[in-house]
Amino acid sequence: MTDFHFKLIDSRIISDHGVHDLADETAAQIEAIKLARSLRETRPELVGRNCSIHVVDEHGRAVCVIPVDDI
């Protein structure tokens, strides 16, 4: 298992969505998509603000960027 860090970002960090202990990068990408969909529904004010979920692994290496607008 690997720790993946999830952050909601526009031009700066809006909120930290914590560290998730997941099996691999694919699992982290799936979680990021789920989080982006959830935020799109629960926080519609984020739509159109170029917000994205950024995921990095425990070594700080970028895993994925999931735009909230595109989900």
Side-chain angles (χ1 to χ4, degrees):
M1 298 293 257
T2 303
D3 289 338
F4 293 93
H5 302 262
F6 290 71
K7 296 188 183 336
L8 175 63
I9 298 178
D10 58 9
S11 60
R12 58 182 171 68
I13 295 175
I14 296 173
S15 61
D16 188 333
H17 284 271
V19 177
H20 300 253
D21 190 25
L22 301 167
D24 56 24
E25 289 184 6
T26 300
Q29 291 172 341
I30 291 168
E31 283 300 308
I33 291 168
K34 289 179 185 177
L35 178 56
R37 284 183 179 149
S38 174
L39 287 170
R40 187 176 173 90
E41 291 176 16
T42 60
R43 296 193 52 200
E45 71 275 10
L46 296 176
V47 175
R49 289 184 45 201
N50 296 316
C51 294
S52 300
I53 302 298
H54 289 241
V55 180
V56 298
D57 67 14
E58 57 195 6
H59 305 290
R61 189 175 64 86
V63 173
C64 66
V65 176
I66 307 296
V68 172
D69 288 348
D70 295 341
I71 285 297

